[in-house]
Amino acid sequence: MKYLLRHTTRYDYSNSVTLSHNEARLLLRDLPWQKCENTRLMIDPQPLRQHERRDFFGNRVVYFAIQDIHDSLEVTVESQVTTQPRPQPDAGMITSWETVAEQLTPGSHHHNPVTEAACLEARLFTLDSPFIPRQPELADFALESFTPGRPMIEALLHLNNRIFSEFKYDPEFSTLATPVLDVLHNRKGVCQDFAHLAIGALRSIGLAARYVSGYLETLPPPGVEKLLGADASHAWLGVFIPGWGWMEIDPTNGSTPSERYLTLGWGRDYADVTPLKGVMNGGGAHELHVAVDVLPVS
């Protein structure tokens, strides 16, 4: 699949800003199944300083500083992206989830040094993170799917489908500060909440899970023209399987990501992949406007 991605973020301030320092995580990763070309990052007003780096997780980060007095900030990224089908592990893998959890335990011995190194790196994603503390209630929720001896892939897909079928998508329910247990108790939220919930449940039983940020091409109903700016950022998660790698699931849609998913970056939770953040002098109150388009290119 070929896409043109366009993501615009605009802040309008009630008072003038005299200085701002910002970080943008808006540039897609190059992956075996995803190649980016002709990427443009446009910032208005034009920054005095700007440079790109890779963060701890390998995500692309652009730092920029604006010293001109300004009443608004607009950041737009455009990129041509080609995606291919992602590799998927065999759903019939007989490895039990308990075996996977045991391999992630410090002190485990692996016959394969490559697998051992990968497990060591993945252990970071078994720990608490700012938005996702491990909790006994989350473990209980996970164990409804991760029954004794159940194959890892089978249990993971069952959890994915449970969240999709048992929870309601409700953009009015939550904010960035809504605790994961509130999502569990109220059985509703948005894609970020459902990813955090699944990650918290998996980590609470000793498995490694990471938060993935990106985009999903949305399809309008038959006969209805797709509205420009109607797409949105999306969130899902990856789960580590020793000897294979990271398998991704999307509990918001009860699916596994396909060519229609564009990967921006990953981290422990949303805090590690915030699209745009910074500090500034002045500004007062602000209004935020976001427009996203994922447009197929023939």
Side-chain angles (χ1 to χ4, degrees), residues 132 238 250:
I132 312 176
D250 177 8

Side-chain angles (χ1 to χ4, degrees), residues 117-275:
C119 286
L120 179 63
E121 183 176 336
R123 282 175 195 150
L124 170 66
F125 298 97
T126 66
L127 306 175
D128 293 346
S129 60
F131 283 114
I132 312 176
R134 291 167 293 176
Q135 304 268 4
E137 280 189 75
L138 294 176
D140 291 341
F141 178 72
L143 291 173
E144 293 180 37
S145 296
F146 288 78
T147 52
R150 194 170 196 179
M152 176 69 185
I153 305 300
E154 181 183 312
L156 187 58
L157 294 176
H158 188 266
L159 176 68
N160 195 43
N161 289 328
R162 278 177 55 217
I163 296 175
F164 171 67
S165 61
E166 297 176 11
F167 288 70
K168 177 184 177 183
Y169 187 90
D170 184 355
E172 303 299 322
F173 168 70
S174 60
T175 68
L176 288 177
T178 302
V180 173
L181 287 183
D182 284 4
V183 177
L184 176 62
H185 296 156
N186 289 277
R187 301 276 163 155
K188 53 184 164 182
V190 295
C191 58
Q192 172 191 298
D193 299 311
F194 300 150
H196 280 169
L197 172 65
I199 292 168
L202 292 162
R203 289 179 184 170
S204 295
I205 58 172
L207 299 173
R210 68 188 184 190
Y211 184 96
V212 185
S213 174
Y215 307 92
L216 171 61
E217 178 201 6
T218 58
L219 303 176
V224 177
E225 185 176 354
K226 185 172 183 176
L227 299 176
L228 291 178
D231 292 316
S233 299
H234 193 50
W236 59 98
L237 63 139
V239 185
F240 184 72
I241 302 174
W244 191 85
W246 292 89
M247 177 180 173
E248 295 186 349
I249 59 172
D250 177 8
T252 302
N253 294 293
S255 62
T256 55
S258 65
E259 303 100 302
R260 293 173 51 216
Y261 288 70
L262 308 182
T263 301
L264 185 60
W266 54 68
R268 296 166 300 167
D269 58 32
Y270 175 82
D272 288 330
V273 287
T274 304

Side-chain angles (χ1 to χ4, degrees), residues 10-22 43-48 64-75 276 278-286:
R10 181 181 176 88
Y11 287 94
D12 290 303
Y13 307 113
S14 60
N15 298 321
S16 295
V17 176
T18 58
L19 171 67
S20 69
H21 296 273
N22 308 273
I43 303 171
D44 183 25
Q46 187 169 344
L48 177 69
F64 62 94
I66 301 172
Q67 292 189 354
D68 293 332
I69 296 175
H70 54 286
D71 299 313
S72 64
L73 170 63
E74 185 169 289
V75 181
L276 187 61
V279 294
M280 61 187 179
N281 290 334
H286 69 264

Side-chain angles (χ1 to χ4, degrees), residues 79-155:
S79 185
Q80 294 178 339
V81 189
T82 301
T83 61
Q84 298 176 345
R86 299 163 184 243
Q88 296 292 339
D90 182 0
M93 284 180 66
I94 60 173
T95 302
S96 70
W97 72 267
E98 293 100 331
T99 299
V100 173
E102 182 181 352
Q103 290 179 300
L104 289 166
T105 303
S108 297
H109 297 287
H110 300 271
H111 299 294
N112 186 328
V114 175
T115 300
E116 183 173 6
C119 286
L120 179 63
E121 183 176 336
R123 282 175 195 150
L124 170 66
F125 298 97
T126 66
L127 306 175
D128 293 346
S129 60
F131 283 114
I132 312 176
R134 291 167 293 176
Q135 304 268 4
E137 280 189 75
L138 294 176
D140 291 341
F141 178 72
L143 291 173
E144 293 180 37
S145 296
F146 288 78
T147 52
R150 194 170 196 179
M152 176 69 185
I153 305 300
E154 181 183 312

